[in-house]
Amino acid sequence: MIIPVRCPSCGRVLGDKWEDFKERAQDGEEDPKEVMDDLGVESYCCRTVFLTHVDLLEDVAEYKKT
Ligand SMILES: [Zn+2]
């Protein structure tokens, strides 16, 4: 849904890096490994969060009750 603000395993803040990652690795052509290295996301627990996240926020927002 929305990227966890912190890594559930180690607690490092990840929420501020998601937009950069998405722009460069998912929408862009860059290698996800290099983007994560560049953003300072080094531990595998945090990398898992980035690589397995499915961004559904926009889809779910359509059904928001008003
Ligand atoms: Zn972590």
Side-chain angles (χ1 to χ4, degrees):
M1 176 105 66
I2 186 170
I3 190 85
V5 175
R6 287 179 178 267
C7 173
S9 298
C10 71
R12 189 186 313 264
V13 177
L14 299 175
D16 61 333
K17 300 176 180 76
W18 172 248
E19 286 298 320
D20 267 353
F21 179 80
K22 195 169 124 179
E23 209 169 275
R24 291 170 62 184
Q26 291 189 337
D27 303 336
E29 296 289 310
E30 285 185 72
D31 182 11
K33 176 193 178 295
E34 307 211 332
V35 177
M36 287 187 290
D37 286 343
D38 197 36
L39 292 172
V41 179
E42 287 173 4
S43 40
Y44 55 81
C45 56
C46 302
R47 286 178 177 245
T48 305
V49 173
F50 275 91
L51 294 175
T52 59
H53 179 62
V54 180
D55 203 11
L56 291 175
L57 183 62
E58 297 289 321
D59 298 333
V60 172
E62 281 181 40
Y63 303 100
K64 183 181 173 193
K65 268 178 141 181
T66 49

